């Protein structure tokens, strides 16, 4: 999930009948670890250019 107003990205994983059991949220510019089965680090620095967050 991208929140362009706050400048954060969230990855959800480990689904259950009541929702996701796990999540990771980082601010734009920080690498986001995407867990297996994808298993990679997402560079979020480009998202910061389009964000509405004041510096």
């Amino acid at each position: 999930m991208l929140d362009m107003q706050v400048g954060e990205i969230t990855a959800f994983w480990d689904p259950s009948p009541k929702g996701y059991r796990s999540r990771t949220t980082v601010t734009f510019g920080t690498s986001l670890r995407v867990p297996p089965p994808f298993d990679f680090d997402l560079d979020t620095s480009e998202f910061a250019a389009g964000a509405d967050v004041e510096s």
Side-chain angles (χ1 to χ4, degrees):
M1 175 178 77
L2 289 173
D3 188 329
M4 299 304 283
Q5 291 181 333
V6 177
E8 293 179 339
I9 183 170
T10 302
F12 296 88
W13 70 95
D14 196 13
S16 76
K18 295 184 178 184
Y20 289 94
R21 293 182 185 107
S22 301
R23 72 174 184 207
T24 299
T25 301
V26 299
T27 56
F28 292 165
T30 304
S31 181
L32 174 67
R33 183 73 190 150
V34 178
F38 302 104
D39 199 28
F40 68 95
D41 292 318
L42 178 66
D43 176 9
T44 66
S45 59
E46 294 294 322
F47 295 124
D52 293 334
V53 179
E54 293 182 24
S55 300

